[in-house]
Amino acid sequence: MNHSAVASPRQAPMHALVRHIRDVPDFPGPGVVFKDLTPLLADAAAFAICIDALASPWRARRIDAVCGIESRGFIFGAALAHALDAGFVPLRKAGKLPARTIGVDYALEYGRARLEVHADALEQVGKPGARVLLVDDVLATGGTLLAARELIERLEARIVGAAVVVELGSLNARARWRGDVPLHAVLRC
Ligand code: AMP
């Protein structure tokens, strides 16, 4: 595996995380190397280090709500919301949320997808002008995170930043990401 950790004062624990990520070749299709984070989730110490590393850039920035992207973004996002003393807002695939939604359609590598959020999601957070952090497990081409950003911008929230566990550096999603909102990756692989 050719992993490199993002420079950080917590460098040693970050390197320890890498061995809890399993590369699964040709999943879900030929040529894709899937970053399987289930070994990391299953290891209590690794999961704790990961959530601490996800949270640390934002601790001093007062986050009111963490918006997690279905589905693995829910796992990390809910734990991150708890660590930051913030609420959690799910950004879901089409047709899953029960009340009135707004949505964004976006391109995937093959085909299209749609991300939705309850129209009153940030009212539920109970803080006008809520300060929001977006979170997902893996940043690949960046399309999903960009769609999440567009969706939350429509709710007129203040997006403080975006956080992912793994950034696939070779796909260069950062080139598509407007730098006025900081994007932090725990690991770049
Ligand atoms: P993208 O929109 O291309 O940045 O893809 C990001 C979304 O797809 C995230 O929600 C990931 O969970 C998933 N994903 C894309 N590529 C991978 C990969 N190689 N390993 C694991 N998850 C991936």
Side-chain angles (χ1 to χ4, degrees):
M1 278 188 278
N2 179 25
H3 292 299
S4 64
V6 173
S8 147
R10 308 181 71 91
Q11 198 100 22
M14 291 308 98
H15 280 294
L17 283 185
V18 165
R19 69 187 173 86
H20 296 283
I21 298 175
R22 176 163 60 185
D23 283 359
V24 183
D26 299 321
F27 184 88
V32 179
V33 179
F34 191 86
K35 296 290 177 187
D36 177 19
L37 303 187
T38 60
L40 188 156
L41 293 170
D43 185 289
F47 191 24
I49 289 167
C50 178
I51 296 302
D52 190 46
L54 268 176
S56 67
W58 317 104
R59 285 197 193 280
R61 304 210 53 197
R62 192 174 63 75
I63 302 297
D64 297 315
V66 172
C67 292
I69 301 171
E70 186 169 0
S71 57
R72 290 176 296 277
F74 290 176
I75 302 168
F76 292 98
L80 180 58
H82 183 66
L84 292 173
D85 199 20
F88 178 78
V89 170
L91 308 186
R92 298 213 62 178
K93 292 170 183 163
K96 301 281 188 183
L97 287 166
R100 194 167 70 81
T101 61
I102 62 166
V104 165
D105 295 296
Y106 64 101
L108 288 176
E109 196 174 357
Y110 302 104
R112 294 190 67 76
R114 181 174 172 84
L115 213 50
E116 295 181 342
V117 67
H118 274 146
D120 65 353
L122 294 178
E123 289 159 41
Q124 291 177 323
V125 171
K127 296 188 176 156
R131 293 166 57 83
V132 164
L133 178 64
L134 306 174
V135 67
D136 203 1
D137 62 336
V138 172
L139 181 70
T141 65
T144 306
L145 200 60
L146 282 167
R149 180 174 179 171
E150 188 183 332
L151 192 57
I152 297 304
E153 279 170 351
R154 284 207 211 150
L155 290 181
E156 292 176 3
R158 164 98 192 272
I159 302 179
V160 176
V164 296
V165 179
V166 175
E167 174 181 354
L168 302 180
S170 60
L171 295 176
N172 207 17
R174 273 182 197 269
R176 302 175 65 193
W177 185 260
R178 293 194 318 277
D180 51 323
V181 170
L183 167 60
H184 180 262
V186 173
L187 297 166
R188 192 174 303 143
C189 295

